[in-house]
Amino acid sequence: MNKNVLLMVDVVSNEKGVEKEIIFQALEAALASASKEHYGSEWDIRVTIDRDTGDYETWRRWTIVDDEDANFETPLRQILLARAQETQPDAIPGDLREEPLPSIEFGRIGAQKAKQVIFQRVRDAERARIVDAYADRVGELMTGLVKRIERGAIIVDLGGTTEAIIPRDQVIPREPVRPGDRIRGYLYEVSPQMRGPQLFLSRTAPKFLIELFKLEVPEIAQGLIEIKGAARDSGLRAKIAVQAKDKRIDPVGACVGMRGSRVQSVSNELAGERIDIVPWDDNIAQFVINAMAPAEVESIIVDEDSHAMSIAVAEDKLAQAIGRGGQNVRLASELTGWTLNVMTAAEAESKKEQENQTVQALFMEALEVDAEVALILVQEGFASLEEIAYVPDEELLDIEEFDEQIVEELRNRAKDVLLTRALAKAEQAASVQPAEDLLAVPGVDEELAYRLAAAGVVTRDDLADLATDELTEKVPMDEDVAARLIMTARGLESQKA
């Protein structure tokens, strides 16, 4: 059998691209498994194969355990220390004792089992090889042939024995794909799972669109043009933002190509997906205006606090700005990272007027000024008392109608109102008295009780109803302390019940 062993190792190694040592180890495990079928399944058997001659030897092994070891349960695989030292004086617990066994000839059943073990080890080695080969290639484009389609997912043959899968949710909707077609995908995950393909491709990811443009536009590959972001409605429409590092280069024109050749090549790869190429701008408002193309924006209001923008367009352009099913504004929102609210110019003007009137009324009441002064502040862009109280003096002095005396008076009044509000809030918090049963909770001293009451935790029942994170949010304290107080309050409440 020795020549057959060496021949089989050579053949399998060449066909599967697996190292010979892995196949030798698999064959040794298979021979040991088959030997157990002959000698006894409880035996610990080891087989060694000579890598040069193909000859193999079989050994039976016992694990040496201490004479008083309570784990001495399997005499077929274990041997007591005293007995082992009769023939091996230097033996210690944990060592292995081996004795040679006659190597057996394997029949058809033994050979079949050996074949199964070998193939399994070879498959494991192949999968490990694939993971090692592709782990550093995540983020690259992969090209292969469609091998088959399973429940909407596409199995792709990348060559050799390597397969990848495009999951159903990563397939472009309604794209016609047939076995044998050449297909591209973006490698987004390499998984060392035991069953099924390990390489996961996507044709719907925005990064797939970006990588396609890198292939088609040399200026991008050379670093002259940078892709700042992309958003997709797979198979229908996409937006991509580009910026030129050299001002002499037109980034949009470079990506479109001569007579639209470059963008058309990308669109064809994406089943006809329409692609809007948007120039990036450091001014976020201007970038949003660019992203809303082809709709023309008449005005825009930025709300930094809510990270949103209100966009006004002509009434007859409203449908175009929103897009079919909200597609245009949704893609623009994804591309810019801002929440975008589209409305007609008339609606925007009405909304702005209502907001201005609200702020004007606030200034008139809080600062005790007439409508004209309040209106001037609103028109100059002031929207809160904090801005009036704490902006640099220069910003108020730049207003033509204001002199130093008026500016100082307005700032003092704004600060007085803010201080009064802060004091009132503090007094309101201090006026809340903790209940007697809250003061009686072990671990709650008077100072903590008032802090709890100011945060709305007035009674022991209020404390018992809280979760640990809720309590630490209301009154900053150690989580363990908070948990202990809550459990103590619950225990007292249960005793009361």
Side-chain angles (χ1 to χ4, degrees), residues 12-75:
V12 176
S13 177
N14 293 330
E15 286 185 356
K16 301 296 185 179
V18 179
E19 294 181 6
K20 290 184 179 181
E21 180 60 27
I22 293 176
I23 302 173
F24 272 118
Q25 292 173 4
L27 187 56
E28 287 173 341
L31 294 173
S33 177
S35 297
K36 289 181 180 181
E37 294 290 329
H38 178 79
Y39 288 108
S41 60
E42 294 295 324
W43 287 25
D44 184 3
I45 294 178
R46 180 175 70 92
V47 175
T48 59
I49 300 176
D50 189 294
R51 274 41 172 176
D52 297 321
T53 65
D55 294 332
Y56 62 94
E57 297 177 333
T58 307
W59 306 81
R60 182 182 180 185
R61 301 190 300 185
W62 292 266
T63 300
I64 300 173
V65 297
D66 192 89
D67 296 337
E68 299 180 358
D69 194 332
N71 294 322
F72 181 69
E73 298 175 350
T74 54

Side-chain angles (χ1 to χ4, degrees), residues 5-262:
V5 168
L6 297 177
L7 179 62
M8 182 182 66
V9 169
D10 284 337
V11 170
V12 176
S13 177
N14 293 330
E15 286 185 356
K16 301 296 185 179
V18 179
E19 294 181 6
K20 290 184 179 181
E21 180 60 27
I22 293 176
I23 302 173
F24 272 118
Q25 292 173 4
L27 187 56
E28 287 173 341
L31 294 173
S33 177
S35 297
K36 289 181 180 181
E37 294 290 329
H38 178 79
Y39 288 108
S41 60
E42 294 295 324
W43 287 25
D44 184 3
I45 294 178
R46 180 175 70 92
V47 175
T48 59
I49 300 176
D50 189 294
R51 274 41 172 176
D52 297 321
T53 65
D55 294 332
Y56 62 94
E57 297 177 333
T58 307
W59 306 81
R60 182 182 180 185
R61 301 190 300 185
W62 292 266
T63 300
I64 300 173
V65 297
D66 192 89
D67 296 337
E68 299 180 358
D69 194 332
N71 294 322
F72 181 69
E73 298 175 350
T74 54
L76 294 177
R77 302 168 67 94
Q78 295 176 318
I79 186 172
L80 293 175
L81 178 61
R83 185 176 175 186
Q85 288 178 337
E86 293 176 0
T87 56
Q88 189 178 342
D90 59 347
I92 59 174
D95 283 352
L96 291 175
R97 175 179 175 179
E98 291 188 331
E99 291 182 0
L101 282 176
S103 297
I104 63 173
E105 294 292 334
F106 300 105
R108 181 179 59 82
I109 296 178
Q112 184 64 27
K113 289 185 177 181
K115 181 179 178 181
Q116 292 174 357
V117 173
I118 294 170
F119 282 177
Q120 181 61 48
R121 290 290 184 91
V122 170
R123 280 195 296 268
D124 292 344
E126 286 180 329
R127 302 183 75 80
R129 177 178 57 81
I130 290 173
V131 170
D132 291 340
Y134 287 88
D136 295 332
R137 300 184 64 183
V138 172
E140 295 183 13
L141 293 182
M142 298 288 156
T143 303
L145 297 177
V146 176
K147 191 171 184 180
R148 61 186 183 277
I149 300 174
E150 297 179 352
R151 300 179 181 178
I154 302 174
I155 308 300
V156 182
D157 183 358
L158 298 179
T161 59
T162 306
E163 289 184 353
I165 183 172
I166 306 177
R168 184 175 182 176
D169 61 343
Q170 300 296 325
V171 174
I172 296 177
R174 298 172 296 280
E175 180 181 21
V177 178
R178 295 179 299 273
D181 288 350
R182 183 165 292 276
I183 195 169
R184 276 185 180 141
Y186 174 82
L187 181 62
Y188 67 92
E189 182 181 354
V190 177
S191 173
Q193 60 187 15
M194 295 305 297
R195 300 180 63 85
Q198 298 168 286
L199 308 180
F200 294 86
L201 307 181
S202 173
R203 287 180 58 78
T204 62
K207 289 184 178 180
F208 181 47
L209 173 65
I210 292 174
E211 292 301 319
L212 289 175
F213 267 102
K214 288 181 180 179
L215 283 181
E216 294 294 336
V217 183
E219 292 86 347
I220 296 176
Q222 295 167 7
L224 300 175
I225 295 176
E226 180 182 1
I227 299 178
K228 305 292 287 188
R232 295 181 62 192
D233 189 352
S234 301
L236 298 175
R237 191 173 179 183
K239 290 180 183 286
I240 185 168
V242 294
Q243 181 184 39
K245 298 295 183 65
D246 188 333
K247 293 183 178 180
R248 295 172 297 178
I249 298 176
D250 174 14
V252 175
C255 291
V256 171
M258 186 71 70
R259 297 180 182 177
S261 59
R262 292 174 175 176

Side-chain angles (χ1 to χ4, degrees), residues 394-411:
E394 292 76 13
E395 292 193 26
L396 286 168
L397 289 172
D398 284 343
I399 301 174
E400 184 178 350
E401 293 85 354
F402 292 174
D403 56 24
E404 292 185 5
Q405 184 178 355
I406 293 176
V407 168
E408 183 178 0
E409 183 63 26
L410 288 174
R411 291 173 69 87

Side-chain angles (χ1 to χ4, degrees), residues 312-490:
V313 298
E315 188 169 354
D316 60 342
K317 300 293 184 180
L318 182 63
Q320 182 187 45
I322 295 174
R324 181 180 299 177
Q327 183 186 73
N328 190 58
V329 68
R330 184 176 67 253
L331 290 177
S333 181
E334 291 178 13
L335 185 65
T336 60
W338 284 69
T339 301
L340 306 180
N341 304 310
V342 179
M343 60 189 70
T344 65
E347 291 172 339
E349 185 62 32
S350 176
K351 180 180 179 182
K352 184 177 181 180
E353 183 62 29
Q354 290 177 0
E355 292 175 350
N356 288 345
Q357 289 177 1
T358 300
V359 176
Q360 183 180 359
L362 168 67
F363 289 161
M364 290 173 62
E365 178 182 357
L367 301 176
E368 298 180 357
V369 296
D370 57 25
E372 183 179 355
V373 174
L375 180 59
I376 292 173
L377 289 170
V378 171
Q379 290 174 341
E380 292 295 331
F382 291 92
S384 68
L385 294 175
E386 286 81 3
E387 291 178 1
I388 296 173
Y390 300 113
V391 296
D393 290 344
E394 292 76 13
E395 292 193 26
L396 286 168
L397 289 172
D398 284 343
I399 301 174
E400 184 178 350
E401 293 85 354
F402 292 174
D403 56 24
E404 292 185 5
Q405 184 178 355
I406 293 176
V407 168
E408 183 178 0
E409 183 63 26
L410 288 174
R411 291 173 69 87
N412 288 338
R413 291 183 185 184
K415 290 179 180 179
D416 288 343
V417 172
L418 293 174
L419 179 59
T420 301
R421 289 180 179 177
L423 291 174
K425 186 175 181 180
E427 289 177 2
Q428 182 181 5
S431 66
V432 180
Q433 298 289 325
E436 291 295 330
D437 60 355
L438 181 63
L439 287 164
V441 175
V444 177
D445 56 22
E446 186 173 357
E447 187 269 337
L448 177 57
Y450 274 91
R451 287 170 58 203
L452 289 169
V457 185
V458 179
T459 67
R460 186 171 64 198
D461 187 49
D462 292 338
L463 179 59
D465 286 341
L466 293 175
T468 301
D469 57 343
E470 293 175 322
L471 179 55
T472 55
E473 185 177 345
K474 290 177 178 292
V475 180
M477 65 175 69
D478 184 78
E479 288 188 2
D480 292 338
V481 174
R484 187 164 59 250
L485 290 176
I486 292 170
M487 295 308 297
T488 303
R490 289 176 182 175

